[in-house]
Structure formats: structure tokens, C-alpha cells
Amino acid sequence: MSIQVPRGTQDILPGEVEKWQYIEEVAKDICKTYQYKEIRTPIFESSELFMRGVGDTTDIVQKEMYVFEDRGGRSLALRPEGTAPVVRSFVQNKMFGDPNQPVKLFYTGPMFRYERPQAGRYRQFVQFGVEALGSEDPAIDAEVISLAMQVYQKLGLKNLKLIINSLGDTESRTNHREALINHFKPRIDEFCSDCQNRLEKNPLRILDCKKDRDHELMSSAPSILDYLNDESRIYFEKVQKYLQAMDIEFVVDPTLVRGLDYYNHTAFEIMSNAEGFGAITTLCGGGRYNGLVEMIGGPATPGIGFAFSIERLLAALEAERIALPIEEALDCYFVSLGEEAKDHTVKILHELRNAGFTAERDYLDRKLKAQFKAADRHHAKFVAVLGDEELKNNKINIKNMQSGEQEEVALPEFISYLEKHIRLGGH
Amino acid sequence: MSIQVPRGTQDILPGEVEKWQYIEEVAKDICKTYQYKEIRTPIFESSELFMRGVGDTTDIVQKEMYVFEDRGGRSLALRPEGTAPVVRSFVQNKMFGDPNQPVKLFYTGPMFRYERPQAGRYRQFVQFGVEALGSEDPAIDAEVISLAMQVYQKLGLKNLKLIINSLGDTESRTNHREALINHFKPRIDEFCSDCQNRLEKNPLRILDCKKDRDHELMSSAPSILDYLNDESRIYFEKVQKYLQAMDIEFVVDPTLVRGLDYYNHTAFEIMSNAEGFGAITTLCGGGRYNGLVEMIGGPATPGIGFAFSIERLLAALEAERIALPIEEALDCYFVSLGEEAKDHTVKILHELRNAGFTAERDYLDRKLKAQFKAADRHHAKFVAVLGDEELKNNKINIKNMQSGEQEEVALPEFISYLEKHIRLGGH
């Protein structure tokens, strides 16, 4: 029996992979203009990193992480997300000592979560993300948000909705937390057991509960925005002012929260409300995490970042029926007739490719007609025909597949002929 | 305590990552001219795939593979190499039915082997490889070899040595095998226990033994080249003829073997004999494997490919002291003075980046002098100075860091000024 791809994973094949390449290219180019540099961390990390950096009470760590021991008995985990590894690397490599602060990084690569596979949800998926570590200027919050928006917009997405919120600083969060406890406590027995547990530990996460979301106390819960102290309020206003300066539309949504203690100030999500999706879907999530670096063993360092999945982005492009501008044409396909001519194409083909042209020939000893068909399937711009007769006269026959024109060219002039007709747009 | 990167793995950081990007770019561009398309298979596969596709008696599978069970009890393995996954995907996706044959694929990504970490050897390393499936034309063997050579040469490596060999077809191999058994059998007790085991199972692998390599029977062992039947000999001659047609130098080395049954005909290695390496080092290995597709559950399909590690390639570049042409300059660094001017840079910076320029500013409220220093560290081509005074007059001061010239430009003309001086090479 043949072996299949592991459940919940997929192969990305030619025909589809070009979209991934295009998206990554766009994201990398944009990172370059923003001066975010790539970082590559390993596929696995010590399990402890994610217990600390994602939270050992989260579903991700408790239920979805691929954990295994290596042959030396170390507990390792396939990374379920990208921020904790980047912060681990930031600390380990003492990047906090780099004179260029903030340290601006991006990453792209596979992440792993053992979830129930469903349409568009994979156990191995690719995340692109950025992290800016070392600055608490609200302009960097706006920059990070604008970078994410820029990627989506450059790819042509139109039905985007940016929502932002502030979780405030520690003081603001403490006051809000108290207000939440006072709000829910009297009627907490009407909530699910998870929420009853959350009440004292982390009441903010009650607002995230899917079971209780329709309870009347949810919509009347105290808003964090009413508990921001002056500093946090001014910070949030600045972020909004900067987004406006960049003509980026947004909606403030006080229900957008993050459950973990080291998140603070700015939180944001980019949603798609494209008709092709059944409901509004989150494409990208991010926010400020001024406590995370310390949590992972480094010096107190502010940070902010976001991540999005390429799979979800592709689904959004499909929902909006956006065709990415992917070029597939082949410069030249060689059709050869006769043993000697066929052998000779090895040399010309090599020279042509060496000069940077995309070129192909037949490797199945196909007949003339089948070779021409192959040229069509490759969308060849030019077909070069070489028979033993032409070879004897040191010539090659070139057909422009767009215009239908045919010319006989001296073999030594073949490359410069293509230079003229392809590179200089002479056709 | 802070958490470290797992033993035997590494972070690739800015400053180093640009080399990886450059190498991948070159390799991908070359694949494009040769019409090899990217394929991305998952990081892990069912363990069985590698038992079949790499061989369950090999060190890789027995000692070095990261094997684990997922939460559903499936035995999975982090891929130790790239060929078996590509062939698995070829079979599962029925690519043998694609009208474009051979199917030409390339991949690049992390592979995993639990080995003793040493200089230049990692437990997670990156391989780049290609596979051409569906043709047994010797021209495709030559093409695959030339593609590998092309990558090394485009990167500037000079001390390269290509060695090739033929393992022949099944008949040739059977005859050679018999001759090997006859050669070693009388004195096999002088060999290590591994070799004694190999004698009947796979005598070809005796030639690979590191312990016994100086035994006098080794150099006098029968050469496969003396056992090639006519078909195999002609095949090998054609491969050599095509390499010559492409001006690719090579040495035939009959001791270059592959132990597994599904390898046949062409085998090759590219070595570096750069002085910087202690000894000659293999950079790249490849060969024909006409039996592998069937072994993995597909229809009989010829195939050939190679793989090389990027880590090893980087070591070779270093040994030859080759500096890759990596551009690091920043188009424009903004220095701002005063609250209002600083806020305004958010907008200009955004416009500049949107227009495709690389641009940066300060996010740490640094003084003027420190901002200029940061501009230097970023190798800024231009520094734009904006103070509240300039802002009031709707102007900006631009300094060309190469010539030292300074100009005051109207703010609305700022982008076109940079267009002229950077894009059109006006400085």
C-alpha cells in the first residue's frame, strides 16, 4: 500500500506553491522597507519554553502541542507558535545589548498544533510574524499594525477590518480586574465551570468564553477602556493618532482581550468580512507583551508583534477571488529531430540557462508533434527547432509562439536573438 | 534561568541570515531556468516511509531519526532527508499521470538527524535538493549534475571536484555483486563484524566501510565498471559526453557507490578541496534511483536527484573566503527634533515605505547626536532631518551621506527627490 501524508498535514505542489512564494516575497519585501530582519529558530524547542511563553494552562500547551523526548531524554516540542522562540533567541543571544534598538525581527515557517483537522485548519501550518523588541514608543505599535495591513493590501485584499483595543498597563489592568470580579461574582454560578475557575485567577478570560458568550452579564461587563489610567489612555490615543496619520481605518473594540498576564496596552486583530467566508474571520492577531521577555529569563524589555497564517491568507484571497500575478511562461522550448541534433541541444540549453533564460526540452524521445504539444503546455514564448539538417548548416529555426513568425538564425547568434526578443521586449 | 536553543540546533540571526537568503535565491533562480518547481512536504512523515525509502538497516533510520507518537498514536518521524517525502508525494498525488514528464521538483528546508553535534554538524540542518522523476534519458542525469554545479559556480566556488560513477543496471549489479563476494569471501574474517554481515546481504557496502578502508583487498576489489553490460556502459558514456558538451569537468571514480538496491546507473558527488577545509569534503551527493518509486508504492518510474546542505555550502564559501554580494544600505534614516516633527515622521515614513524605499527612524526618544549615530550604523544613504521649524515651513532637510551635500526640499517633493537620487542613480 502506498504511504499517505500524515493526517492534518498537506503537500504544497507546483501550481499552488507559486502563490506561497509570491506571498512570502511580498511579505519579505515589505519587511525590508520597514527594516525588519529575518530570524530562523529551530522547528523544535524545549517544552518548557512554551509552558512559560505561551502559558501552561492554555489549550495550546495542554492539548495541542506535539511533545516528544529526543534520544537523550530531553523533552522537546514542535513549536506551536513563533513569538516564544524569537524571544528565547533574543534573550540567549543578548540582543538587548545591540546598539540598534528596538530589535525588529520577522519569521516565516511551519508551526504545529494537534487539532481536529477541518477545512482550512491543519496540524502543520505556516505562520508569518514580526516582533519589535526594545521600544515602548506608541509609534512602534502603529508601525507593526501598518506592516500587517500593508501585506494584506499589497496582495489586493479589500474586505479588511482592523480592530484595536488597549489592555492598559499593570495598574489599569489590576483595577479592571477588580471591577470584573465584582461584576461577575454575584452570579458566577450561572456560568460554566471553566469561567468559575477563571473568576479569581484570570477574570479577563471569562470575556473570551464561547459557552457563556450570550449571558446578559457579558455585554454589560465593565470595559477596560473605563479603567485605563492617564498614562495608558494617552498611550492608546497616540497609537490611534498615528494610525490616522497613515490613513489606516480601524475600530476600537473593548471586548478584544488577551488572557495572559504579560500582555498589555495595544491589542489588535485584522479580520476579513469577504462574502466568500461564511462569517467574519480573523486573519491576523497581535499585540504588546511588555512582560514576556522577563518571563522567558531576560531583562525587562517591552515588545510587540503579530502573526498570521498563510493558509488563512490564501483562503481570504480566494474568498475575494483575487488572482495573484504569477508569471508562468517559459522563454524557450527546444524541439529536436534526429540523434545528433538532440544531443546538441544539451549544449545550447545549458548556455541559455546559464544566461538566465528559462528553457526546456524533451527527455522522453517524443515525436515532433508531441514535442510541440509539450511546448504549448509550458506556455513557451519561443520554440527553437533543431534538426540534423539545421545543425549541419549551423542554424536553428525559431518560432515566436505569440506572433506565429518563424526565423532561421545562425546558431552562434541564438542567445543574442533571444536577448533582443525577450529581454528587450522586442516582440 | 534562561532557556537555551536545543542541543545540536542553532538560531540563524540577522547578519548571518542574509547569506542563507542569498544562497536560496540563487538556487531558486537556477531551478527556474532549468524548470524545476518547488514542492513543500511536511516536516514529519509516517516513520514507515523512511524505513522503506531510506532503508530500515541504515544508521539514519536505526540511530539518528527523531521518532515520536502523535496524540492519536501514529508513529511519526521528523524527516531525516528529502527524497523519500518527495517520492511519497509524487505517488500519492499521482504525478506520474501528469502530461509533463519528467516531473522536475526542488525542495529546501530543515532535515533532522540525531547525531553527535560537532563543528558544522547540526541535528537540524537545511537541505536543498532536486528530483527529476519519469525519464531515463542520460541527458537528464547530466542536467541534474549541471544544475548542482551551476549553483556552486554562481556562488563563486572554485575548488570543486565532481566525481561520477555508474552502478549499472540490475544485471550489471548482480554480476558485480557476485564478483565482490568471490573477492572478499576467502578472507572475510580479516574484516570487521559489520563487513562480515554485509558480505552476503550487500557486499557493495563493504567498499564504504570506514574501519576496513586500508585493507589490501579494498583497492584490488573488482570495479563495477568492468561489469557494466552494454546498455549500462553506453548509458554512462552518454552521461559523460553530455557533461563534456557543457564543459563540466569530472573524474570517474569506480569506488563511489551507494549501498541500497534501488540505486542504479549514475552516482555523483561534488567535493571541495579548498585549503580552508582540513581534508577534501563532500558538499553534494546524488544519483539515479530507478527502483525507489516502486518501493514507496508507485508504478515503476525512473528517478534521479541530489541534495546538499546549506551549512556545508556556507563552510565551503568561508573556506574559499568568498564574500557574497549582500546589500545592506538603508535608503533613508529620519532624524527628528521636537514632538510635532517626530509625530509627523510617522506619516512620511509610511509613505516612503509604501513607495518601496527602505526607511527607518528612532523609537527611543534619542537625542540628535544619537539619532545621527544610528543612521551611520544603518549605513543610511540619506538622512532626512525634520524639526518643528522645518515642519512649519513644510520643508525637510536632506543630507546625502556619501557626498556630504545637504539640501532643503519641500515636503511634498520629498519622495520624488529620493526617487531621483536613489532609484535613478543620481548620486
Side-chain angles (χ1 to χ4, degrees):
Chain A
M1 213 204 73
S2 74
I3 299 170
Q4 304 292 303
V5 74
R7 188 168 149 79
T9 69
Q10 64 172 340
D11 293 323
I12 303 163
L13 305 180
E16 192 64 25
V17 78
E18 292 78 9
K19 295 182 198 163
W20 293 71
Q21 293 167 340
Y22 185 84
I23 290 169
E24 287 161 2
E25 207 58 46
V26 166
K28 283 181 184 180
D29 283 350
I30 291 173
C31 282
K32 199 173 173 193
T33 67
Y34 279 77
Q35 293 286 290
Y36 285 71
K37 307 276 171 84
E38 189 178 1
I39 181 169
R40 302 187 183 183
T41 63
I43 293 294
F44 52 74
E45 295 275 353
S46 79
S47 308
E48 195 198 342
L49 173 64
F50 300 108
M51 292 180 193
R52 284 206 224 167
V54 179
D56 50 11
T57 62
T58 56
D59 275 2
I60 292 180
V61 169
Q62 286 202 332
K63 299 183 195 160
E64 297 168 4
M65 210 156 67
Y66 283 87
V67 180
F68 60 97
E69 281 195 2
D70 75 6
R71 290 173 193 247
R74 295 167 194 83
S75 177
L76 300 173
L78 299 185
R79 59 187 187 193
E81 59 95 53
T83 301
V86 168
V87 171
R88 193 266 311 136
S89 182
F90 176 86
V91 174
Q92 178 174 354
N93 294 292
K94 300 192 171 53
M95 291 188 221
F96 43 79
D98 191 315
N100 287 322
Q101 297 291 330
V103 173
K104 308 207 302 188
L105 301 166
F106 80 85
Y107 61 85
T108 176
M111 308 289 160
F112 306 85
R113 293 185 196 170
Y114 189 80
E115 292 184 280
R116 204 180 165 71
Q118 8 173 325
R121 175 161 296 175
Y122 296 94
R123 290 181 178 174
Q124 173 177 330
F125 57 98
V126 176
Q127 271 192 350
F128 170 84
V130 314
E131 317 291 347
L133 295 147
S135 164
E136 213 180 337
D137 190 324
I140 202 90
D141 300 47
E143 171 177 298
V144 163
I145 295 171
S146 79
L147 195 163
M149 289 298 285
Q150 189 90 305
V151 174
Y152 289 125
Q153 282 163 353
K154 278 261 152 97
L155 290 170
L157 288 174
K158 302 240 177 305
N159 299 296
L160 297 171
K161 192 180 163 190
L162 168 65
I163 60 171
I164 64 170
N165 190 24
S166 171
L167 309 175
D169 60 8
T170 310
E171 186 188 68
S172 311
R173 292 192 62 154
T174 308
N175 293 338
H176 179 231
R177 182 193 147 90
E178 218 167 284
L180 282 173
I181 294 177
N182 293 339
H183 176 75
F184 286 113
K185 204 170 193 173
R187 292 173 63 185
I188 192 66
D189 51 333
E190 296 167 25
F191 285 74
C192 74
S193 61
D194 279 346
C195 281
Q196 293 177 14
N197 278 326
R198 286 169 187 144
L199 182 68
E200 296 291 339
K201 276 197 217 144
N202 202 335
L204 204 59
R205 291 184 71 189
I206 295 179
L207 301 177
D208 255 348
C209 182
K210 273 165 198 149
K211 283 189 208 138
D212 295 321
R213 67 172 144 200
D214 297 326
H215 194 289
E216 57 170 328
L217 282 190
M218 288 300 225
S219 56
S220 62
S223 162
I224 176 70
L225 296 182
D226 296 325
Y227 290 83
L228 295 181
N229 57 16
D230 282 357
E231 218 184 309
S232 299
R233 195 179 36 74
I234 290 168
Y235 193 96
F236 192 38
E237 279 166 8
K238 277 242 162 182
V239 173
Q240 296 177 59
K241 185 181 152 193
Y242 291 144
L243 289 174
Q244 281 153 358
M246 294 188 281
D247 286 325
I248 296 172
E249 283 176 38
F250 60 88
V251 173
V252 174
D253 178 354
T255 69
L256 175 64
V257 297
R258 306 247 150 191
L260 296 170
D261 282 344
Y262 45 76
Y263 285 106
N264 50 12
H265 290 298
T266 315
F268 69 98
E269 281 187 6
I270 300 170
M271 336 266 292
S272 166
N273 46 16
E275 272 183 40
F277 281 123
I280 290 184
T281 305
T282 300
L283 299 179
C284 174
R288 187 164 271 289
Y289 48 78
N290 290 350
L292 183 58
V293 178
E294 233 175 331
M295 184 77 90
I296 287 178
T301 308
I304 180 167
F306 70 76
F308 64 74
S309 109
I310 310 256
E311 287 83 354
R312 196 83 54 101
L313 168 51
L314 281 166
L317 289 167
E318 203 169 306
E320 292 198 23
R321 294 175 192 205
I322 292 167
L324 300 175
I326 290 160
E327 235 254 270
E328 275 195 85
L330 177 74
D331 291 329
C332 184
Y333 191 95
F334 282 88
V335 167
S336 61
L337 287 157
E339 182 82 7
E340 234 180 295
K342 198 184 131 211
D343 282 359
H344 194 75
T345 60
V346 169
K347 184 183 157 69
I348 323 176
L349 194 64
H350 186 65
E351 288 169 357
L352 213 58
R353 289 166 170 173
N354 216 341
F357 291 99
T358 57
E360 189 52 297
R361 56 159 269 188
D362 167 62
Y363 287 105
L364 293 177
D365 258 328
R366 279 183 279 214
K367 301 237 162 78
L368 195 63
K369 209 170 160 185
Q371 291 187 45
F372 271 105
K373 268 196 187 164
D376 276 344
R377 278 197 307 272
H378 279 90
H379 311 288
K381 292 179 194 160
F382 288 85
V383 173
V385 185
L386 190 71
D388 286 349
E389 192 63 30
E390 279 94 353
L391 187 58
K392 216 193 299 165
N393 301 326
N394 211 22
K395 302 222 159 168
I396 193 162
N397 193 297
I398 306 177
K399 186 173 179 186
N400 181 327
M401 298 305 276
Q402 211 181 325
S403 68
E405 277 172 82
Q406 247 171 302
E407 277 188 76
E408 210 172 57
V409 176
L411 259 179
E413 278 152 41
F414 177 54
I415 291 190
S416 55
Y417 178 91
L418 284 184
E419 290 273 2
K420 203 173 104 196
H421 286 77
I422 293 180
R423 294 251 168 94
L424 309 174
H427 71 288
Chain B
M1 213 204 72
S2 74
I3 299 170
Q4 304 293 302
V5 74
R7 188 167 149 81
T9 69
Q10 63 173 338
D11 294 322
I12 303 163
L13 306 179
E16 192 64 24
V17 79
E18 292 77 10
K19 295 182 199 165
W20 293 71
Q21 292 166 342
Y22 184 84
I23 290 169
E24 287 161 2
E25 206 58 46
V26 166
K28 283 181 185 181
D29 283 350
I30 290 173
C31 281
K32 198 173 175 194
T33 67
Y34 280 77
Q35 293 285 292
Y36 285 71
K37 307 276 170 85
E38 190 178 0
I39 180 169
R40 301 186 184 183
T41 62
I43 292 293
F44 52 73
E45 296 275 353
S46 79
S47 308
E48 194 199 343
L49 173 64
F50 300 108
M51 292 180 193
R52 283 206 226 168
V54 180
D56 50 12
T57 61
T58 57
D59 275 2
I60 292 180
V61 169
Q62 287 203 331
K63 299 182 193 160
E64 297 168 3
M65 209 157 67
Y66 283 88
V67 179
F68 60 97
E69 281 195 2
D70 74 6
R71 290 171 193 247
R74 294 168 195 84
S75 177
L76 300 173
L78 299 185
R79 59 185 187 196
E81 58 96 51
T83 301
V86 168
V87 171
R88 193 266 310 136
S89 182
F90 176 85
V91 173
Q92 177 175 352
N93 295 292
K94 300 192 172 52
M95 292 188 221
F96 43 79
D98 190 314
N100 287 321
Q101 296 292 331
V103 173
K104 308 207 302 188
L105 301 166
F106 80 86
Y107 61 85
T108 177
M111 307 290 160
F112 306 85
R113 293 185 196 171
Y114 189 81
E115 291 183 280
R116 205 181 163 70
Q118 7 173 324
R121 175 161 297 175
Y122 296 95
R123 290 180 178 174
Q124 173 177 329
F125 56 98
V126 176
Q127 271 193 350
F128 170 83
V130 315
E131 316 291 348
L133 295 147
S135 164
E136 212 180 337
D137 190 324
I140 202 90
D141 300 48
E143 171 177 297
V144 162
I145 295 171
S146 79
L147 196 164
M149 289 298 286
Q150 189 90 305
V151 174
Y152 289 125
Q153 283 165 352
K154 279 262 153 96
L155 291 170
L157 288 174
K158 302 238 177 306
N159 299 296
L160 297 171
K161 191 180 163 191
L162 168 65
I163 60 172
I164 64 170
N165 191 24
S166 171
L167 309 176
D169 60 9
T170 310
E171 186 187 68
S172 311
R173 290 192 64 156
T174 307
N175 293 338
H176 180 231
R177 183 193 147 92
E178 218 167 283
L180 283 173
I181 295 177
N182 293 338
H183 176 75
F184 287 113
K185 203 168 193 175
R187 292 173 63 186
I188 192 67
D189 52 333
E190 297 167 23
F191 285 74
C192 75
S193 61
D194 280 347
C195 281
Q196 292 178 14
N197 278 326
R198 285 169 188 144
L199 182 69
E200 296 292 340
K201 276 199 217 145
N202 201 337
L204 204 58
R205 291 184 69 189
I206 296 178
L207 302 177
D208 254 349
C209 181
K210 275 167 196 148
K211 283 188 208 140
D212 295 320
R213 68 173 143 200
D214 297 325
H215 193 287
E216 56 171 328
L217 283 190
M218 288 299 224
S219 54
S220 61
S223 162
I224 176 71
L225 297 181
D226 297 326
Y227 291 83
L228 295 182
N229 58 16
D230 281 358
E231 218 184 310
S232 299
R233 194 179 37 73
I234 291 168
Y235 193 97
F236 191 38
E237 280 166 7
K238 277 243 161 181
V239 172
Q240 296 177 60
K241 185 181 152 193
Y242 292 142
L243 289 174
Q244 281 154 358
M246 295 188 281
D247 287 324
I248 296 173
E249 282 175 40
F250 60 90
V251 173
V252 174
D253 178 354
T255 69
L256 174 65
V257 297
R258 306 246 149 192
L260 296 170
D261 282 345
Y262 46 76
Y263 286 106
N264 50 13
H265 290 298
T266 315
F268 70 98
E269 281 187 6
I270 301 170
M271 336 267 291
S272 166
N273 47 15
E275 271 183 43
F277 280 124
I280 290 183
T281 305
T282 301
L283 299 179
C284 174
R288 186 162 273 288
Y289 48 77
N290 290 350
L292 183 59
V293 177
E294 231 175 331
M295 185 77 91
I296 286 179
T301 308
I304 181 167
F306 70 76
F308 64 73
S309 109
I310 310 257
E311 287 84 354
R312 196 82 55 99
L313 169 51
L314 281 166
L317 289 168
E318 203 169 306
E320 293 198 22
R321 296 177 191 203
I322 293 167
L324 300 175
I326 289 160
E327 235 255 269
E328 276 195 85
L330 177 75
D331 291 331
C332 185
Y333 192 94
F334 281 89
V335 167
S336 61
L337 287 157
E339 183 82 6
E340 233 179 295
K342 198 186 130 210
D343 282 359
H344 194 76
T345 60
V346 169
K347 183 182 157 69
I348 322 177
L349 193 64
H350 186 64
E351 287 169 357
L352 213 58
R353 288 167 171 172
N354 216 341
F357 290 100
T358 56
E360 190 52 297
R361 56 159 269 190
D362 167 63
Y363 287 107
L364 294 177
D365 257 329
R366 279 182 279 214
K367 300 238 164 74
L368 196 63
K369 208 171 160 185
Q371 291 186 44
F372 270 105
K373 267 196 189 165
D376 276 344
R377 278 197 307 271
H378 279 91
H379 311 289
K381 292 178 193 160
F382 288 86
V383 172
V385 185
L386 191 70
D388 287 350
E389 191 63 29
E390 280 94 352
L391 187 59
K392 216 192 297 164
N393 300 327
N394 210 22
K395 303 223 159 169
I396 191 163
N397 194 296
I398 306 176
K399 185 172 178 186
N400 182 326
M401 298 304 275
Q402 212 181 327
S403 67
E405 278 173 80
Q406 247 171 302
E407 278 188 76
E408 211 173 56
V409 176
L411 260 179
E413 278 151 42
F414 177 53
I415 290 188
S416 55
Y417 179 91
L418 284 185
E419 289 273 1
K420 203 172 103 194
H421 286 76
I422 294 179
R423 295 250 169 95
L424 308 175
H427 70 287

